[in-house]
């Protein structure tokens, strides 16, 4: 079939001579994510790592076990469907998600706009299969979320790194004219990994860029539930008047990554194309998981859990910030306003590899920023994921990390 790309008037515009290769796996150089927890080359720890500041990890301990059991008991009282389920996901859950996004993010959508996926990254892969062919250009935050970039590269996309500053994507650096990417991936609520929030002026400019160049935007709103000191900014999808934004979300950070459940909101007719592309069993979340989430939402457990976790994560990030304050002249924290991780920008004369290796020797694992770049890094720092740690672990790990930073700084004369 002839390839078609969404156009601003809601119709589909032809790209003559180009054939769809939706679902084709494109080979090439593998992209390997940096592993946390592995031994550093040439470094031997005196004991097993005790504290791992893992970006993206969440805390499941406060989830009430009694409620969790009762929800599963209710789901187990019904037989599963005799088929793979409804196209796009369980209808009741899609209705509940549409209502949830309307309340929490101001995204006006209906159940028919929602597609339930196995995860947010699976949604990215689905989008790539549906609209991209090998060689298509994709604007991507630099530095950015490695797994999302890997999914796009695996489908043959040509990644165009777009620089990020303390306020997120530098929209004015996006290519224009014939060089404009067909797709742009952004994390505007809490840029991953630097933690900035895309200002309203840049959000509007990004939408205007997409409309002017007949491009699409993937808005990954992965951390929107956890905001602390700052008031929420409107989602790109809530500002979109021309069908330019595909909105992604996940419940992994709220409940557990093990549930493997995400969703996307897509404008028509792109949504129809995505549903047609969702042919793999892994594209869909399992029926019991969908029903469990539905019960959590209908009975108010999800909203109460989010409020409870917001208070807990706020306490954790305050503790982390206070413990690192003595070395703030050597390592500046970014991204405290939201999310479950912070970016620690190091003094220019402190190499992140020094900190990583010395901290590891003392049982603390932190992630360097450099692997999140596609090209040469222009920043020097560390990522500290605190969401999955207890207050005691944060206290232990941050204290050791501050001591390591101060010790190395002293050795280089800072």
């Amino acid at each position: 079939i002839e390839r078609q790309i969404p156009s601003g008037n809601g119709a589909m515009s032809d790209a003559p001579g180009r054939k769809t290769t939706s679902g084709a796996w494109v080979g090439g150089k593998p992209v390997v994510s940096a592993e946390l927890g592995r031994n550093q080359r040439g470094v031997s720890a005196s004991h097993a790592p005790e504290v791992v500041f893992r970006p993206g990890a969440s805390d499941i301990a406060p989830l009430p076990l009694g409620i969790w059991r009762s929800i599963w008991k209710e789901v187990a009282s019904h037989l599963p469907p005799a088929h793979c389920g409804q196209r796009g996901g369980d209808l009741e859950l899609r209705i509940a998600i549409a209502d949830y996004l309307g309340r929490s993010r101001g995204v006006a959508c209906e159940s028919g706009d929602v597609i339930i996926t196995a995860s947010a990254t699976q949604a990215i892969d689905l989008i790539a299969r549906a609209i991209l062919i090998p060689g298509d250009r994709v604007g991507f935050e630099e530095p950015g979320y490695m797994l999302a970039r890997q999914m796009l590269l695996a489908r043959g996309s040509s990644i165009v790194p777009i620089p990020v500053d303390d306020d997120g994507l530098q929209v004015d650096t996006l290519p224009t004219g014939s060089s404009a990417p067909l797709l742009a991936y952004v994390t505007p609520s809490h840029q991953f990994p630097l933690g900035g929030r895309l200002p309203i002026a840049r959000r509007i400019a990004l939408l205007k860029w997409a409309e002017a160049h007949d491009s699409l935007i993937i808005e990954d709103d992965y951390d929107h539930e956890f905001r602390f000191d700052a008031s929420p900014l409107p989602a790109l999808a809530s500002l979109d008047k021309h069908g330019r934004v595909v909105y992604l979300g996940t419940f992994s950070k709220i409940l557990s990554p093990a549930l493997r459940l995400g969703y996307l909101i897509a404008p028509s007719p792109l949504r129809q194309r995505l549903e047609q592309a969702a042919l793999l069993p892994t594209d869909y979340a399992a029926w019991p998981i969908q029903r469990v989430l539905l019960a959590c939402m209908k009975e108010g457990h999800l909203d109460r859990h989010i409020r409870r976790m917001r208070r807990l994560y706020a306490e954790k990030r305050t503790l982390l910030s206070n413990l690192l304050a003595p070395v703030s002249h050597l390592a500046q924290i970014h991204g405290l306003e939201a999310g479950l991780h912070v970016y620690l920008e190091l003094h220019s004369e402190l190499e992140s590899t020094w900190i990583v290796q010395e901290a590891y020797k003392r049982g603390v694992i932190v992630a360097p920023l450099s692997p999140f770049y596609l090209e040469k890094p222009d920043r020097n720092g560390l990522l500290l994921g605190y969401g999955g740690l207890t207050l005691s672990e944060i206290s232990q790990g941050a204290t050791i990390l501050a001591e390591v930073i101060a010790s190395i700084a002293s050795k280089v004369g800072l």
Side-chain angles (χ1 to χ4, degrees):
I1 61 174
E2 293 295 323
R3 185 201 187 203
Q4 296 176 317
I5 303 170
S7 63
N9 60 8
M12 305 292 281
S13 60
D14 294 330
R18 302 182 73 184
K19 306 295 183 179
T20 54
T21 55
S22 198
W25 188 263
V26 180
K29 184 179 179 180
V31 182
V32 182
S33 298
E35 298 177 14
L36 286 177
R38 65 182 178 184
N39 199 347
Q40 306 295 323
R41 178 176 294 182
V43 179
S44 58
S46 58
H47 48 80
E50 297 176 2
V51 179
V52 181
F53 284 98
R54 188 183 304 277
S58 55
D59 192 345
I60 66 169
L63 191 63
L65 185 57
I67 292 176
W68 187 244
R69 285 172 173 165
S70 67
I71 291 172
W72 275 101
K73 185 176 180 181
E74 166 60 23
V75 171
S77 67
H78 302 277
L79 288 173
H83 48 80
C84 291
Q86 297 168 308
R87 181 180 291 271
D90 183 273
L91 178 58
E92 287 187 79
L93 178 57
R94 289 156 62 194
I95 293 172
I97 289 176
D99 176 70
Y100 168 72
L101 291 177
R103 289 185 290 108
S104 66
R105 296 299 285 135
V107 177
C109 60
E110 300 178 353
S111 61
D113 301 319
V114 181
I115 297 178
I116 309 297
T117 63
S119 66
T121 49
Q122 187 63 35
I124 294 170
D125 184 59
L126 178 59
I127 294 167
R129 298 203 317 263
I131 69 173
L132 298 177
I133 64 174
D136 276 340
R137 293 161 61 84
V138 176
F140 203 91
E141 296 170 329
E142 175 80 341
Y145 181 36
M146 285 189 297
L147 187 53
R149 188 169 62 212
Q150 181 174 346
M151 300 297 283
L152 293 166
L153 285 171
R155 293 295 174 185
S157 303
S158 176
I159 298 297
V160 181
I162 309 299
V164 171
D165 60 21
D166 291 343
D167 289 325
L169 187 78
Q170 297 183 36
V171 178
D172 59 355
T173 66
L174 278 163
T176 58
S178 60
S179 298
L182 176 65
L183 191 67
Y185 172 88
V186 293
T187 53
S189 288
H190 190 234
Q191 199 278 329
F192 194 93
L194 299 185
R197 296 199 312 158
L198 197 67
I200 187 67
R202 290 195 189 184
R203 294 175 189 239
I204 293 172
L206 179 58
L207 290 170
K208 289 182 177 179
W209 170 86
E211 183 182 358
H213 295 90
D214 204 14
S215 300
L216 288 168
I217 301 167
I218 297 180
E219 177 182 15
D220 191 341
D221 209 17
Y222 73 101
D223 255 351
H224 74 83
E225 293 89 357
F226 303 118
R227 301 178 301 272
F228 307 116
D229 297 330
S231 58
L233 291 173
L236 282 169
S238 70
L239 301 171
D240 180 24
K241 306 301 181 186
H242 301 283
R244 292 293 162 195
V245 178
V246 183
Y247 181 92
L248 305 187
T250 176
F251 293 96
S252 295
K253 301 292 189 303
I254 305 173
L255 297 172
S256 168
L259 292 179
R260 307 298 298 157
L261 199 152
Y263 58 88
L264 65 83
I265 312 297
S268 181
L270 176 59
R271 182 179 63 255
Q272 300 170 16
R273 188 167 193 149
L274 291 169
E275 289 180 348
Q276 293 170 0
L279 301 175
L280 303 176
T282 52
D283 288 332
Y284 295 103
W287 174 83
I289 301 298
Q290 294 190 55
R291 299 303 294 184
V292 163
L293 177 60
L294 175 62
C296 283
M297 300 180 80
K298 289 177 64 175
E299 297 172 20
H301 299 312
L302 185 70
D303 286 342
R304 287 189 291 272
H305 185 64
I306 290 174
R307 291 193 294 269
R308 182 165 54 244
M309 297 310 297
R310 190 177 292 143
R311 291 192 295 269
L312 176 58
Y313 290 139
E315 185 180 2
K316 290 182 177 184
R317 64 106 201 208
T318 299
L319 175 62
L320 178 64
S321 177
N322 290 341
L323 290 170
L324 293 176
V327 293
S328 59
H329 61 296
L330 301 169
Q332 186 177 3
I333 293 182
H334 297 266
L336 283 170
E337 297 85 1
L340 306 183
H341 82 275
V342 296
Y343 163 57
L344 196 63
E345 185 156 19
L346 298 172
H347 190 284
S348 59
E349 296 186 31
L350 292 178
E351 290 287 345
S352 61
T353 52
W354 302 343
I355 311 297
V356 169
Q357 292 178 359
E358 289 303 313
Y360 183 84
K361 291 178 182 178
R362 298 187 58 181
V364 176
I365 291 180
V366 293
L369 178 66
S370 54
F372 295 89
Y373 282 86
L374 184 63
E375 298 181 339
K376 184 179 179 180
D378 61 357
R379 289 176 181 247
N380 173 42
L382 307 170
L383 258 64
L384 306 180
Y386 59 84
L389 298 176
T390 65
L391 291 170
S392 176
E393 288 170 333
I394 292 173
S395 180
Q396 177 187 358
T399 298
I400 292 174
L401 183 59
E403 292 173 355
V404 167
I405 292 172
S407 174
I408 293 178
S410 177
K411 291 179 181 177
V412 297
L414 294 178

